[in-house]
C-alpha cells in the first residue's frame, strides 16, 4: 500500500507542484505502517524533477472530519466574499 501511495503522490506532485499534500480519511490510523514506504518511494519517484524540493506530504490533523469541516466552512467564506464585494 505504501509503495502504491508513494507512486500516486509522486504523480500528483509532478503534475500539480503544490507545496503541501495532506492525507486524511480511513487510512490515517495505519499511518505508521505505510508512511515510511510511501515517503521513500514518493521521494525516489519525484526527486529527479526540478520543482519538488519544498514539497511536503503530511497527515491532516482533522482526520475523518476534514471534509465535514471544509464543507461547513465554504458557505461562510462565500458569504464573507459577497459582503466585501
Amino acid at each position: 500500500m505504501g509503495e502504491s501511495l508513494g507512486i500516486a503522490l509522486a504523480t500528483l506532485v509532478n503534475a500539480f507542484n503544490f507545496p503541501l499534500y495532506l492525507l486524511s480519511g480511513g487510512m490515517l490510523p495505519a499511518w505508521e505502517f505505510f508512511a515510511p514506504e510511501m515517503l521513500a518511494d514518493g521521494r525516489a519517484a519525484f526527486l529527479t524533477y526540478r520543482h519538488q524540493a519544498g514539497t511536503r506530504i503530511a497527515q491532516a490533523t482533522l482526520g475523518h472530519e476534514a471534509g465535514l469541516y471544509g464543507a461547513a466552512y465554504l458557505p461562510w467564506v462565500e458569504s464573507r466574499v459577497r459582503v466585501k464585494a
Side-chain angles (χ1 to χ4, degrees):
M1 182 175 137
E3 180 180 356
S4 297
L5 281 172
I7 292 168
L9 283 169
T11 302
L12 290 172
V13 169
N14 289 326
F16 298 110
N17 192 24
F18 294 135
L20 175 65
Y21 295 83
L22 289 175
L23 300 179
S24 66
M27 64 185 169
L28 285 185
W31 179 265
E32 66 271 2
F33 298 113
F34 69 83
E37 186 74 22
M38 174 191 68
L39 296 173
D41 288 343
R43 284 192 179 97
F46 65 67
L47 277 180
T48 58
Y49 291 84
R50 60 175 167 71
H51 54 273
Q52 289 83 10
T55 302
R56 289 184 350 157
I57 299 168
Q59 289 178 284
T61 56
L62 295 175
H64 296 292
E65 304 295 324
L68 178 64
Y69 280 96
Y73 183 68
L74 187 60
W76 183 78
V77 170
E78 288 181 354
S79 69
R80 304 248 330 155
V81 170
R82 280 184 281 212
V83 170
K84 288 182 181 179

